[in-house]
Protein backbone atom coordinates (compact mmCIF):
# COMPACT_ATOMS: atom_id res chain seq x y z
CA UNK A 1 0.00 0.00 0.00
CA UNK A 2 1.18 3.52 -0.76
CA UNK A 3 2.39 5.20 2.40
CA UNK A 4 3.93 8.46 1.18
CA UNK A 5 1.62 11.43 1.61
CA UNK A 6 0.09 13.03 -1.43
CA UNK A 7 2.20 16.02 -2.45
CA UNK A 8 0.78 19.42 -1.54
CA UNK A 9 -1.09 21.25 -4.29
CA UNK A 10 1.12 23.45 -6.43
CA UNK A 11 0.24 26.70 -8.10
CA UNK A 12 -2.92 27.13 -10.16
CA UNK A 13 -1.21 25.96 -13.36
CA UNK A 14 0.15 22.79 -11.74
CA UNK A 15 -3.15 22.11 -9.99
CA UNK A 16 -5.31 22.52 -13.09
CA UNK A 17 -2.99 21.37 -15.87
CA UNK A 18 -0.31 19.28 -14.17
CA UNK A 19 0.09 15.51 -14.19
CA UNK A 20 0.53 15.00 -10.43
CA UNK A 21 -2.36 13.99 -8.18
CA UNK A 22 -2.46 16.56 -5.38
CA UNK A 23 -5.94 16.20 -3.83
CA UNK A 24 -7.24 19.22 -1.94
CA UNK A 25 -8.88 17.84 1.19
CA UNK A 26 -11.16 20.23 3.09
CA UNK A 27 -10.61 21.51 6.64
CA UNK A 28 -11.99 18.20 7.95
CA UNK A 29 -9.52 16.23 5.82
CA UNK A 30 -12.18 15.08 3.35
CA UNK A 31 -12.76 15.17 -0.39
CA UNK A 32 -16.12 14.72 -2.15
CA UNK A 33 -16.53 11.49 -4.12
CA UNK A 34 -19.25 10.57 -6.60
CA UNK A 35 -19.60 7.02 -7.91
CA UNK A 36 -21.33 6.22 -11.18
CA UNK A 37 -21.99 2.96 -13.01
CA UNK A 38 -19.11 2.47 -15.46
CA UNK A 39 -21.39 0.98 -18.09
CA UNK A 40 -24.45 3.22 -17.98
CA UNK A 41 -23.17 6.43 -16.38
CA UNK A 42 -26.00 6.26 -13.82
CA UNK A 43 -25.10 8.12 -10.61
CA UNK A 44 -24.95 5.58 -7.79
CA UNK A 45 -23.86 7.45 -4.69
CA UNK A 46 -22.10 10.41 -3.13
CA UNK A 47 -19.71 9.93 -0.24
CA UNK A 48 -16.59 11.35 1.35
CA UNK A 49 -13.01 10.13 1.24
CA UNK A 50 -10.14 10.96 3.51
CA UNK A 51 -6.49 10.49 2.60
CA UNK A 52 -6.51 6.81 3.61
CA UNK A 53 -9.74 6.03 1.72
CA UNK A 54 -8.36 7.58 -1.46
CA UNK A 55 -5.06 5.72 -1.08
CA UNK A 56 -6.77 2.38 -0.48
CA UNK A 57 -9.04 2.95 -3.46
CA UNK A 58 -6.04 3.64 -5.69
CA UNK A 59 -4.03 0.75 -4.25
CA UNK A 60 -6.74 -1.93 -4.29
CA UNK A 61 -8.98 -0.92 -7.19
CA UNK A 62 -11.99 -1.15 -4.84
CA UNK A 63 -13.86 1.89 -3.53
CA UNK A 64 -13.18 2.90 0.07
CA UNK A 65 -14.91 5.81 1.77
CA UNK A 66 -14.92 7.72 5.04
CA UNK A 67 -18.07 7.59 7.14
CA UNK A 68 -18.61 10.91 8.89
CA UNK A 69 -21.42 9.48 11.04
CA UNK A 70 -19.40 6.44 12.20
CA UNK A 71 -16.06 8.27 12.05
CA UNK A 72 -14.41 5.32 10.31
CA UNK A 73 -13.03 4.06 7.04
CA UNK A 74 -15.21 1.59 5.14
CA UNK A 75 -14.81 -0.54 2.03
CA UNK A 76 -17.98 -0.38 -0.03
CA UNK A 77 -19.58 -3.82 -0.04
CA UNK A 78 -17.64 -5.27 2.88
CA UNK A 79 -20.90 -6.36 4.51
CA UNK A 80 -23.43 -6.07 1.66
CA UNK A 81 -21.40 -7.71 -1.11
CA UNK A 82 -21.91 -4.62 -3.26
CA UNK A 83 -18.18 -4.08 -3.74
CA UNK A 84 -17.39 -1.30 -6.19
CA UNK A 85 -14.56 -2.21 -8.56
CA UNK A 86 -13.05 0.99 -9.88
CA UNK A 87 -12.79 1.13 -13.67
CA UNK A 88 -11.64 4.75 -13.77
CA UNK A 89 -11.01 7.49 -11.22
CA UNK A 90 -11.07 11.12 -12.28
CA UNK A 91 -10.34 14.30 -10.37
CA UNK A 92 -12.00 17.64 -11.06
CA UNK A 93 -10.18 20.75 -12.27
CA UNK A 94 -9.08 22.00 -8.86
CA UNK A 95 -8.65 18.52 -7.36
CA UNK A 96 -11.20 18.89 -4.57
CA UNK A 97 -13.62 16.21 -5.82
CA UNK A 98 -13.21 12.75 -7.34
CA UNK A 99 -15.41 10.77 -9.72
CA UNK A 100 -15.28 6.99 -9.60
CA UNK A 101 -16.61 4.97 -12.52
CA UNK A 102 -17.35 1.60 -10.96
CA UNK A 103 -18.67 -1.87 -11.65
CA UNK A 104 -20.88 -2.74 -8.71
CA UNK A 105 -20.69 -6.35 -7.55
CA UNK A 106 -23.36 -8.34 -5.72
CA UNK A 107 -26.84 -7.31 -6.80
CA UNK A 108 -25.42 -4.11 -8.35
CA UNK A 109 -26.99 -1.86 -5.74
CA UNK A 110 -25.30 1.02 -4.05
CA UNK A 111 -27.75 2.48 -1.52
CA UNK A 112 -28.08 1.30 2.06
CA UNK A 113 -31.88 1.53 1.59
CA UNK A 114 -31.76 -1.31 -0.92
CA UNK A 115 -32.21 0.93 -3.95
CA UNK A 116 -29.80 0.55 -6.86
CA UNK A 117 -28.85 4.23 -6.64
CA UNK A 118 -28.93 6.64 -3.72
CA UNK A 119 -30.55 9.08 -6.17
CA UNK A 120 -33.87 7.23 -6.34
CA UNK A 121 -36.21 10.18 -5.70
CA UNK A 122 -37.27 13.05 -7.95
CA UNK A 123 -38.19 16.49 -6.61
CA UNK A 124 -41.48 17.69 -8.08
CA UNK A 125 -43.15 20.84 -6.82
CA UNK A 126 -41.19 20.66 -3.60
CA UNK A 127 -42.26 17.08 -2.89
CA UNK A 128 -40.35 13.83 -3.37
CA UNK A 129 -41.49 11.05 -5.67
CA UNK A 130 -39.75 7.70 -6.12
CA UNK A 131 -38.16 7.68 -9.59
CA UNK A 132 -38.40 3.98 -10.30
Amino acid sequence: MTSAPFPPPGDKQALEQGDVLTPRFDASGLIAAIATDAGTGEPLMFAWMNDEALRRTLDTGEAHYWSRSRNELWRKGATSGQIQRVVELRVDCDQDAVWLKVKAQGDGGACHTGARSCFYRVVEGGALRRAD
Side-chain angles (χ1 to χ4, degrees):
M1 185 183 307
T2 306
S3 58
F6 289 108
D11 63 18
K12 181 177 166 84
Q13 176 69 23
L15 187 67
E16 295 178 355
Q17 304 300 324
D19 60 1
V20 177
L21 178 60
T22 57
R24 294 179 50 227
F25 298 98
D26 68 13
S28 298
L30 303 174
I31 192 168
I34 186 81
T36 62
D37 183 280
T40 67
E42 175 187 16
L44 298 175
M45 59 180 280
F46 170 82
W48 295 99
M49 290 181 159
N50 65 359
D51 180 277
E52 185 178 3
L54 182 55
R55 284 182 189 291
R56 287 195 183 189
T57 298
L58 292 169
D59 289 344
T60 67
E62 294 181 353
H64 290 71
Y65 300 103
W66 179 257
S67 171
R68 295 182 304 169
S69 61
R70 295 188 314 266
N71 200 37
E72 67 182 17
L73 183 75
W74 56 286
R75 180 176 63 99
K76 178 64 179 161
T79 57
S80 67
Q82 298 169 339
I83 294 166
Q84 293 178 345
R85 301 223 185 272
V86 178
V87 173
E88 182 176 86
L89 191 146
R90 293 188 183 198
V91 64
D92 75 334
C93 57
D94 57 357
Q95 298 196 43
D96 65 355
V98 295
W99 172 18
L100 294 81
K101 294 182 181 185
V102 302
K103 286 188 178 177
Q105 307 299 297
D107 67 5
C111 188
H112 74 281
T113 66
R116 174 169 164 69
S117 168
C118 292
F119 299 94
Y120 58 88
R121 295 180 289 179
V122 176
V123 179
E124 291 179 341
L128 298 177
R129 176 184 60 80
R130 194 164 180 100
D132 44 31

